[in-house]
Amino acid sequence: MVVFLVTIRAGLKAQDKIDSTNFKRYVKNLPAFTMYKDNYFITGTSLNETISSETSDAKFQLGFKQRLTNLEMPWETFLFFTYQQKSFWDIYKDSFPFRETNYNPTLGLAKLFVDNKGIKAGLWFSFEHESNGLGGDDSRSWNYFSIQYLKVGGQNWQFRAKAWLPVGNIDGNPDITSYRGYFKLGATHRITQNFFFDLDLQPAYDARLRGSVEAGLSLKISKNSNQFIYLQYFGGYSEDLIDYNRSVNNLRIGVAFKDLFANFNQKPTIN
């Protein structure tokens, strides 16, 4: 729920700083509906197979967040709903079929940590569902509780950690945690004013080490836009649900619309 923290930093005036006495009032005045995580469209191919229409594709991700209420919640938290959709599209094959789409709705609570210097960190507790919407042998679905922590590290770094615990029936993919694990760690670094590096590591331990690594480079197209040229590498298991137990090694490039978490220079303020 990075964008929850990001949005607070995004549209603020320079004269008054957010602190522990006024941040709740400011949150309530923010737009309730915003983008959630990076939205992107990228295309590319496998790095360990011959380039062909069978090994190349497009991948896109869409997401939004909705704050559900302005009512005071316990422990100064905010109730939210998020939705994220990740699709794999075989655009180089005849008739351009979609190979799979993964759906990820979430309901949870967000908690911000604020001192007299502004927002220091965020904590999110959520119930998440993830599935591919298919039936029969191709059905993949699971539910889990997750907790996510985000820490601001000066002007050029942000760090994140997320852990989850499956609940309910996972018969369609009973060994999914052997490939997805139970946690992931990530960071974003601002290399220059308009150039960013993202890295997420998701280890999985079973009979052997599995998991995945995802790395991205984002170059802002122009100073006043929110559009980036985006290069993404994914290596390891569970990039999609249907083949979560197959290792892949993919490099793709395209366009991303990033949440404003990347705007490191914004100072937290309030009217």
Side-chain angles (χ1 to χ4, degrees):
M1 299 35 171
V2 171
V3 71
F4 189 85
L5 174 57
V6 177
T7 310
I8 293 176
R9 289 174 168 267
L12 309 177
K13 295 183 178 180
Q15 64 269 30
D16 300 308
K17 185 167 62 177
I18 288 181
D19 59 29
S20 58
T21 66
N22 60 22
F23 81 95
K24 288 191 294 182
R25 176 167 58 87
Y26 185 78
V27 169
K28 292 178 181 179
N29 291 328
L30 290 171
F33 183 87
T34 60
M35 185 171 68
Y36 174 58
K37 295 188 177 179
D38 291 351
N39 286 214
Y40 59 75
F41 184 95
I42 52 179
T43 181
T45 190
S46 171
L47 294 180
N48 52 10
E49 299 175 277
T50 302
I51 297 176
S52 70
S53 61
E54 298 294 326
T55 60
S56 304
D57 67 0
K59 174 184 176 183
F60 64 86
Q61 178 172 285
L62 305 171
F64 68 83
K65 176 189 66 67
Q66 175 70 48
R67 189 175 69 251
L68 296 178
T69 178
N70 284 330
L71 296 176
E72 293 287 338
M73 304 295 292
W75 307 295
E76 297 184 327
T77 58
F78 295 90
L79 183 67
F80 64 87
F81 170 80
T82 70
Y83 174 80
Q84 190 170 24
Q85 177 178 312
K86 183 168 59 177
S87 296
F88 299 85
W89 191 6
D90 291 328
I91 61 173
Y92 302 105
K93 293 183 180 180
D94 293 340
S95 77
F96 310 133
F98 278 88
R99 184 170 74 253
E100 184 179 62
T101 296
N102 298 157
Y103 309 94
N104 180 210
T106 294
L107 182 67
L109 292 171
K111 166 75 174 178
L112 300 180
F113 298 92
V114 181
D115 62 14
N116 58 6
K117 295 182 180 180
I119 300 166
K120 300 187 300 180
L123 184 68
W124 295 268
F125 179 74
S126 309
F127 175 75
E128 302 194 38
H129 170 79
E130 189 174 10
S131 65
N132 63 359
L134 301 176
D137 294 339
D138 291 331
S139 176
R140 303 285 186 270
S141 178
W142 66 323
N143 302 310
Y144 52 95
F145 287 106
S146 67
I147 186 167
Q148 182 174 187
Y149 179 72
L150 184 143
K151 174 68 175 177
V152 177
Q155 292 296 309
N156 297 313
W157 287 94
Q158 282 103 11
F159 303 95
R160 52 190 173 270
K162 183 177 181 179
W164 51 86
L165 184 65
V167 294
N169 190 338
I170 57 172
D171 288 347
N173 30 253
D175 59 347
I176 191 168
T177 55
S178 296
Y179 299 90
R180 286 207 170 183
Y182 292 92
F183 71 94
K184 67 177 178 180
L185 303 172
T188 297
H189 176 52
R190 184 184 69 174
I191 302 171
T192 68
Q193 184 67 31
N194 297 312
F195 191 33
F196 300 89
F197 173 67
D198 300 283
L199 180 66
D200 287 280
L201 303 174
Q202 187 169 315
Y205 299 93
D206 202 339
R208 58 191 179 92
L209 177 63
R210 295 190 178 102
S212 64
V213 56
E214 183 175 290
L217 290 171
S218 303
L219 178 63
K220 202 170 187 179
I221 293 174
S222 68
K223 181 179 178 180
N224 297 319
S225 75
N226 190 34
Q227 301 171 27
F228 293 76
I229 298 172
Y230 180 47
L231 178 69
Q232 183 194 84
Y233 168 77
F234 184 96
Y237 293 88
S238 197
E239 185 178 29
D240 58 19
L241 275 175
I242 196 167
D243 293 320
Y244 69 90
N245 55 4
R246 182 173 72 91
S247 180
V248 299
N249 191 29
N250 294 322
L251 185 68
R252 302 181 179 95
I253 190 169
V255 176
F257 304 89
K258 297 182 72 67
D259 65 39
L260 293 179
F261 184 57
N263 194 341
F264 291 76
N265 282 337
Q266 290 288 354
K267 296 180 180 180
T269 55
I270 189 171
N271 291 323

